[in-house]
Amino acid sequence: MAEGLDKVVVSSRIRLARNVNGMPFPKKLSNDERVYSVLLKGIKDAIGDTFEYEYYEMRRMNEVDRMALLEKHLISPDLVRNIENGSVIISRDRTLSIMVNEEDHVRAQCMLEGMELRRAYEKISDIDDRLAENLDIAFDDKLGYLTSCPSNLGTGMRASVMMFLPALTMTNSMNSVINTAQKLGLTARGIYGEGSNADGYMYQISNEISLGISEEDILRRVETFALKVADNEMKIRDVILKEQGAGLIDKITRAYGILTNAYMMTSRECMGNISLVKLGVSYGIIKSTDMKTLNRLTESIGSAEIIKRSGRSLSALERDIERAKTVRNAILRIDQ
Amino acid sequence: MAEGLDKVVVSSRIRLARNVNGMPFPKKLSNDERVYSVLLKGIKDAIGDTFEYEYYEMRRMNEVDRMALLEKHLISPDLVRNIENGSVIISRDRTLSIMVNEEDHVRAQCMLEGMELRRAYEKISDIDDRLAENLDIAFDDKLGYLTSCPSNLGTGMRASVMMFLPALTMTNSMNSVINTAQKLGLTARGIYGEGSNADGYMYQISNEISLGISEEDILRRVETFALKVADNEMKIRDVILKEQGAGLIDKITRAYGILTNAYMMTSRECMGNISLVKLGVSYGIIKSTDMKTLNRLTESIGSAEIIKRSGRSLSALERDIERAKTVRNAILRIDQ
């Protein structure tokens, strides 16, 4: 099973929700600078010099810079809404991020490429221990970690695996995956334009609840289910290639031709073409690029990221032209 | 004006119609083997060893081989219809061809790449002189060369220029070109799926009549008009690039991406994409291929030619796959 897993599993992520005793939840914090600075100091002290990081305050950023972090999944929409007192600490290597005053006081996450739930858990647990030493973390013997939303009570932990599931999507098998996930206390949800022609075929599988279940249990359940889904996906990929044959190969090679040649492209079309080329890489039809390059590329084609890189405001047309250039250069390995 | 002429003028062709005294016209010849062999001997004697050639008898060829010659414009539909007594002599370099028993006993033509009407005329006149020495060519002092169809009486000569006119087509200016041609005693007619998405944008400009006009006059009229049309085409190409800008560049680069990557392609789609890429070459947008390669490619993508090269019978799907491969290899200069 480990064979070919990189053709299905994009990344693994562990996120912890923590709050500090005696401080109102972020939504009620509003502009309390004193509380905010105590919180921030605690977090920064906790990190110390364990890793190099960048620190961004929402209120000191412009719209484009905030959206660029959002497109890269380094921050959440909830943090962007907390412009007054939201901020984020992001490690230089981008694997660790700590959101301050998102839904909870602290949302610490570790995201790694591939099926790496356990390694991500180890890394984030280390941060968690340090946070506990520096802040008075709210914990109840019965309810576990106290969180703003009851669904995060207990471990306050969400383990998720990002998966690329084109074959299950094309064969309309995702509803069954979603239903099975629910029965196991898990959630499978699509991201990026589900069910459209510009489909990214990307799904996130994660635990639904975090109360009354151990951290080890969460990891095991999510991992086991993700591996089973990956196994099914690979089997069905073989089936659809046999069934659709030349038609599917043609779709894939044309998508590659468009990605490496088009002069302008919307992010929707781009996503659809990248997905087809990823499928082509997994079949061995496309040999001149790889899964990692393509997965990273999907994080670089958002409008905000395109504008940010160009360093000036761009019309929609100019954005589409810049995006196409970014994509061509990334796939053909041309330095910009 | 000579500048850029190769971006518009594909080829020049002179065709002479000749008949032999005392022989019924081909349509009435039917299976008269004696007459046929006298005719053939005269033609072969006329050629002698002036050029190396291949000789094909329609009745000894299979359907695919006949269609392959037709697709390459080396023979005409009328010759294919004369299976019993039609044949053709084609020079090794493919510039000269002599059809025997097409509409007339002899149809000799010279076709050269580029604007080369006069050079083609010299080459075919040489053949004409030799034919007159070896056959009793039917000629009337008033009517000139006697031909099966009255429209060819007189010089029996048709001078034509094949032109690539995308800008005039896209701007709906071709009707005006066609009307002007008529007023000058010329014909401009589109070939390959006119007005469709899969347009080849190819037009042939030739003299309408050949009676009451000298050969020199025919050459001059066709050449002058073709040069004028070419000039207009180049001017309008600049205009549409300015007007359509990114949209046109995108169409061109995508067409290139499809041609160099698609796994299968119909000849219609292929023709449309080749035309766009030719336009791209003329703009300097596409630099990795050239007009000559693309013009020759349009002669190699017909179904019969594809089947002939593969050496076996092919389904429609297999043909489309083989065609796409031929196109990729030709443009990317990969030896098959």
Side-chain angles (χ1 to χ4, degrees):
Chain A
M1 179 61 243
E3 177 81 34
L5 201 54
D6 64 323
K7 294 168 182 170
V8 182
V9 177
V10 177
S11 61
S12 304
R13 191 165 69 102
I14 304 285
R15 191 223 63 201
L16 302 176
R18 299 289 184 259
N19 288 280
V20 179
N21 274 324
M23 282 186 194
F25 283 128
K27 273 182 189 157
K28 293 179 181 162
L29 247 180
S30 136
N31 268 331
D32 192 329
E33 284 295 327
R34 200 193 48 80
V35 167
Y36 184 32
S37 64
V38 169
L39 180 58
L40 261 180
K41 188 179 178 307
I43 294 171
K44 287 187 175 179
D45 286 349
I47 298 173
D49 54 6
T50 50
F51 60 86
E52 279 192 280
Y53 62 84
E54 283 153 18
Y55 170 66
Y56 301 99
E57 278 194 290
M58 291 304 110
R59 61 187 172 187
R60 291 187 206 277
M61 295 172 83
N62 61 34
E63 175 78 7
V64 169
D65 287 347
R66 282 193 297 262
M67 292 312 286
L69 290 182
L70 186 61
E71 284 171 0
K72 289 170 164 293
H73 301 108
L74 287 167
I75 62 172
S76 67
D78 269 342
L79 190 73
V80 172
R81 266 175 238 122
N82 263 16
I83 290 188
E84 301 87 358
N85 58 22
S87 55
V88 65
I89 285 163
I90 301 171
S91 70
R92 280 279 151 88
D93 68 2
R94 307 255 153 152
T95 59
L96 293 164
S97 86
I98 302 176
M99 287 189 284
V100 184
N101 288 329
E102 199 247 24
E103 202 179 89
D104 297 292
H105 293 139
V106 181
R107 283 274 176 115
Q109 76 167 28
C110 177
M111 181 160 67
L112 300 174
E113 286 178 348
M115 183 57 118
E116 295 283 2
L117 275 183
R118 280 166 199 276
R119 205 154 64 82
Y121 176 71
E122 280 164 29
K123 286 186 84 170
I124 209 66
S125 294
D126 190 49
I127 308 284
D128 192 34
D129 293 344
R130 288 170 162 274
L131 286 170
E133 285 163 21
N134 287 276
L135 288 164
D136 179 16
I137 301 294
F139 185 84
D140 177 274
D141 283 342
K142 255 201 175 139
L143 296 172
Y145 290 101
L146 299 179
T147 53
S148 167
C149 173
S151 70
N152 291 313
L153 286 169
T155 59
M157 176 169 118
R158 184 133 299 156
S160 56
V161 180
M162 182 87 88
M163 306 186 78
F164 175 58
L165 305 174
L168 288 167
T169 310
M170 288 176 182
T171 54
N172 301 314
S173 311
M174 279 311 297
N175 275 342
S176 145
V177 171
I178 290 165
N179 289 338
T180 309
Q182 262 169 354
K183 283 172 198 156
L184 297 168
L186 304 173
T187 303
R189 64 183 186 88
I191 60 170
Y192 306 126
E194 277 172 85
S196 70
N197 278 333
D199 205 316
Y201 305 123
M202 295 279 260
Y203 294 82
Q204 191 175 277
I205 287 173
S206 61
N207 56 311
E208 177 70 41
I209 49 151
S210 55
L211 180 64
I213 183 172
S214 72
E215 291 175 346
E216 171 56 29
D217 240 22
I218 292 172
L219 289 175
R220 199 176 37 74
R221 279 199 208 180
V222 173
E223 191 173 58
T224 306
F225 186 64
L227 288 174
K228 199 163 172 295
V229 171
D231 197 28
N232 280 339
E233 167 67 23
M234 288 306 286
K235 279 178 188 151
I236 299 180
R237 279 193 203 171
D238 289 341
V239 173
I240 60 169
L241 184 57
K242 265 181 209 137
E243 277 177 2
Q244 299 185 30
L248 184 57
I249 297 171
D250 190 52
K251 258 165 103 174
I252 288 168
T253 56
R254 280 168 187 256
Y256 182 82
I258 298 291
L259 283 181
T260 52
N261 288 279
Y263 182 65
M264 58 195 200
M265 221 180 310
T266 63
S267 56
R268 277 180 71 81
E269 189 200 353
C270 201
M271 189 60 79
N273 286 332
I274 290 175
S275 299
L276 281 169
V277 172
K278 278 165 68 177
L279 186 56
V281 169
S282 108
Y283 283 137
I285 294 168
I286 303 291
K287 295 191 178 79
S288 51
T289 186
D290 55 71
M291 282 292 182
K292 259 191 194 170
T293 302
L294 295 166
N295 283 332
R296 285 175 186 170
L297 189 54
T298 59
E299 304 283 305
S300 319
I301 57 168
S303 292
E305 178 66 16
I306 297 287
I307 292 170
K308 198 166 135 58
R309 268 205 306 272
S310 85
R312 62 187 184 91
S313 76
L314 298 174
S315 69
L317 180 68
E318 288 173 321
R319 273 206 305 273
D320 288 349
I321 293 174
E322 282 300 313
R323 180 180 297 109
K325 196 168 144 193
T326 298
V327 170
R328 284 197 306 273
N329 291 345
I331 297 184
L332 299 173
R333 294 187 173 79
I334 297 166
D335 288 329
Q336 266 182 308
Chain B
M1 179 59 244
E3 178 82 34
L5 201 53
D6 64 323
K7 294 169 184 170
V8 182
V9 177
V10 177
S11 61
S12 304
R13 190 165 69 103
I14 304 285
R15 190 224 63 201
L16 301 177
R18 299 290 184 260
N19 288 280
V20 179
N21 274 323
M23 282 186 193
F25 283 129
K27 272 180 189 159
K28 293 180 181 162
L29 247 181
S30 132
N31 268 330
D32 192 329
E33 284 295 326
R34 200 193 49 83
V35 167
Y36 184 33
S37 64
V38 169
L39 181 59
L40 262 179
K41 188 178 179 309
I43 295 171
K44 287 187 174 177
D45 286 349
I47 298 172
D49 54 4
T50 50
F51 60 85
E52 279 191 280
Y53 62 83
E54 283 155 15
Y55 170 66
Y56 302 99
E57 278 194 289
M58 291 304 110
R59 61 186 173 188
R60 291 186 205 277
M61 297 172 83
N62 61 33
E63 176 80 6
V64 169
D65 287 347
R66 282 193 297 262
M67 294 311 287
L69 289 182
L70 186 62
E71 285 171 358
K72 287 169 164 295
H73 302 107
L74 288 167
I75 63 173
S76 67
D78 269 341
L79 190 74
V80 172
R81 267 175 235 122
N82 263 15
I83 290 187
E84 300 87 358
N85 57 21
S87 55
V88 66
I89 284 162
I90 301 171
S91 70
R92 280 281 149 87
D93 68 1
R94 306 256 155 150
T95 59
L96 293 165
S97 85
I98 302 177
M99 286 190 283
V100 183
N101 289 327
E102 199 247 21
E103 203 178 87
D104 298 292
H105 292 138
V106 181
R107 283 275 176 111
Q109 76 166 28
C110 176
M111 182 160 69
L112 300 174
E113 287 178 346
M115 183 58 116
E116 294 285 1
L117 274 184
R118 279 164 200 276
R119 206 155 63 81
Y121 175 69
E122 280 164 29
K123 287 184 84 170
I124 209 66
S125 295
D126 191 48
I127 307 282
D128 192 32
D129 293 344
R130 288 170 162 274
L131 286 171
E133 285 163 21
N134 287 276
L135 289 165
D136 180 16
I137 302 293
F139 185 84
D140 176 276
D141 283 343
K142 257 201 172 140
L143 296 171
Y145 290 100
L146 300 178
T147 52
S148 168
C149 173
S151 71
N152 290 313
L153 287 170
T155 59
M157 177 170 119
R158 183 132 298 154
S160 54
V161 180
M162 183 87 90
M163 307 186 78
F164 175 58
L165 305 173
L168 287 168
T169 310
M170 288 176 182
T171 54
N172 300 315
S173 312
M174 278 312 297
N175 276 341
S176 145
V177 171
I178 290 165
N179 290 337
T180 309
Q182 262 168 354
K183 282 173 200 157
L184 297 167
L186 304 173
T187 304
R189 64 182 186 87
I191 60 170
Y192 307 124
E194 281 171 82
S196 69
N197 279 332
D199 206 316
Y201 305 122
M202 296 280 260
Y203 295 83
Q204 189 176 277
I205 287 174
S206 60
N207 55 311
E208 175 72 39
I209 49 151
S210 54
L211 179 64
I213 183 172
S214 71
E215 291 175 345
E216 172 55 30
D217 240 24
I218 292 172
L219 290 174
R220 198 177 37 75
R221 280 200 207 177
V222 173
E223 191 173 57
T224 306
F225 186 64
L227 288 173
K228 199 165 171 295
V229 171
D231 197 29
N232 280 339
E233 167 68 22
M234 289 306 288
K235 279 179 188 149
I236 299 179
R237 278 192 204 171
D238 289 342
V239 174
I240 61 171
L241 184 58
K242 264 180 210 137
E243 277 177 3
Q244 298 184 30
L248 184 56
I249 298 172
D250 189 51
K251 258 166 101 173
I252 288 168
T253 55
R254 281 167 186 256
Y256 182 82
I258 298 291
L259 283 181
T260 52
N261 288 280
Y263 182 65
M264 58 193 199
M265 221 181 309
T266 63
S267 57
R268 277 180 72 82
E269 190 200 354
C270 200
M271 188 61 78
N273 286 332
I274 290 175
S275 299
L276 283 167
V277 172
K278 277 165 67 177
L279 187 57
V281 169
S282 109
Y283 283 135
I285 295 166
I286 303 291
K287 295 192 179 78
S288 52
T289 185
D290 55 70
M291 283 292 182
K292 258 190 196 172
T293 301
L294 295 166
N295 283 332
R296 286 176 188 171
L297 189 54
T298 59
E299 304 283 306
S300 319
I301 58 169
S303 293
E305 178 65 16
I306 297 289
I307 292 171
K308 197 164 135 62
R309 267 205 307 273
S310 85
R312 62 186 185 91
S313 75
L314 298 174
S315 69
L317 179 69
E318 287 172 322
R319 273 206 304 273
D320 288 349
I321 294 173
E322 282 299 314
R323 180 179 297 108
K325 197 169 146 195
T326 298
V327 170
R328 285 197 306 273
N329 291 345
I331 298 184
L332 299 172
R333 294 188 174 78
I334 296 165
D335 288 330
Q336 266 180 305

